[in-house]
Amino acid sequence: MEIATRHFGRIDVDGADLFVFPAGLIGLEELRRWVLLSEPRRAAAWMQSVDRPEVALAVINPRLFWPQCRLRVARQELAVLGLRDLRQIEVLAIVARHERGLTADLKAPLVFDLRNRLGCQVICNGEEPLRMPLDIAPPAVRRSA
Amino acid sequence: MLVLSRQRDESIMIGDNVVVTVVDIRGDKVRLGIQAPNEIPVHRREVYDAIKRENRQAADIEPADLEPLGRSAAPLGRRRPG
């Protein structure tokens, strides 16, 4: 199917590219079908909504920015995925732009089940910040600079 | 909104399988115990609302906003067009 996106023009989305979030995102419950698009030359990607093509969220892999990052999530948060094998998951954090710059939401990351191509937004039960400042390059980039 | 009076150790049922129990009352603070099936996440309202606002704020981001992130070979997903 073809969708007219806000940032990337018209893109063709194959059913096999979709990630389905059965519960949507928090506050965006009706947005269930998404496709991940890599951002060329940036340590980020885009969660492009298929249901509402004008919506695209920037996401990062928090482990790239904070290698020590450990997110604590209650198992029932992952129930929608029916996960048995936690090696099959990818965790990404949503990036937001605020007046002081970019932040990553480590309180409510996105969990992807790569095998079944399902996803959900979870709420961590530790002290993870909702707005972790993101004004740093990932360590891999700093080393090569 | 339905309003019910409960004393300590009393409960209410929500549907067949959600039980909310008043565990303790001290001054203006009430401690609640919540028993719910695994598939029903339970959260404090203000946390949930803050995440909702953050998600909506995140939807305003533009590709140019990501320039401070620097370059990296860390592809996620399929390459975006353009």
Side-chain angles (χ1 to χ4, degrees):
Chain A
M1 87 196 84
E2 197 178 70
I3 59 173
T5 68
R6 177 170 149 215
H7 302 309
F8 317 120
R10 303 188 79 83
I11 63 171
D12 192 38
V13 176
D14 193 68
D17 289 335
L18 291 179
F19 277 99
V20 175
F21 281 58
L25 268 55
I26 296 167
L28 301 168
E29 285 80 7
E30 72 283 12
L31 305 188
R32 294 159 49 95
R33 296 181 301 164
W34 300 83
V35 60
L36 270 180
L37 304 172
S38 65
E39 174 69 18
R41 300 179 301 280
R42 304 271 177 235
W46 291 90
M47 275 269 285
Q48 170 66 54
S49 169
V50 175
D51 299 306
R52 214 199 291 161
E54 69 272 23
V55 175
L57 304 172
V59 291
I60 56 150
N61 179 344
R63 297 287 284 274
L64 269 182
F65 288 83
W66 305 283
Q68 307 305 319
C69 175
R70 295 284 182 279
L71 303 174
R72 281 172 299 280
V73 174
R75 188 159 275 271
Q76 62 260 34
E77 289 282 315
L78 300 170
V80 68
L81 304 181
L83 278 180
R84 279 179 214 92
D85 185 357
L86 292 180
R87 287 170 300 184
Q88 299 281 347
I89 68 171
E90 178 86 62
V91 176
L92 299 176
I94 299 175
V95 177
R97 178 190 56 187
H98 295 281
E99 279 173 20
R100 289 181 167 187
L102 298 177
T103 62
D105 180 356
L106 300 185
K107 184 72 185 168
L110 306 173
V111 179
F112 295 81
D113 174 352
L114 301 177
R115 196 182 40 185
N116 297 320
R117 299 194 73 82
L118 292 172
C120 63
Q121 185 170 26
V122 299
I123 302 181
C124 294
N125 50 19
E127 296 297 312
E128 294 83 354
L130 186 68
R131 294 180 180 177
M132 183 75 166
L134 190 59
D135 50 6
I136 53 167
V141 178
R142 279 188 303 212
R143 269 203 302 276
S144 63
Chain B
M1 180 164 56
L2 173 65
V3 178
L4 302 169
S5 295
R6 301 277 68 194
Q7 297 185 331
R8 188 190 308 202
D9 295 331
E10 291 184 337
S11 301
I12 61 166
M13 297 287 305
I14 301 174
D16 283 340
N17 44 23
V18 177
V19 187
V20 180
T21 305
V22 177
V23 174
D24 196 15
I25 305 167
R26 275 186 204 165
D28 60 356
K29 197 179 228 178
V30 179
R31 286 167 61 83
L32 301 174
I34 295 140
Q35 271 181 293
N38 276 347
E39 66 272 18
I40 300 184
V42 177
H43 296 289
R44 291 175 175 84
R45 171 83 179 263
E46 64 273 20
V47 171
Y48 195 87
D49 286 348
I51 293 166
K52 191 184 284 193
R53 282 195 301 274
E54 196 68 9
N55 278 349
R56 291 181 180 160
Q57 173 76 23
D60 286 340
I61 203 163
E62 307 269 342
D65 295 325
L66 298 183
E67 277 167 23
L69 288 188
R71 291 160 176 269
S72 167
L76 298 158
R78 69 177 239 210
R79 192 183 168 86
R80 77 157 167 91

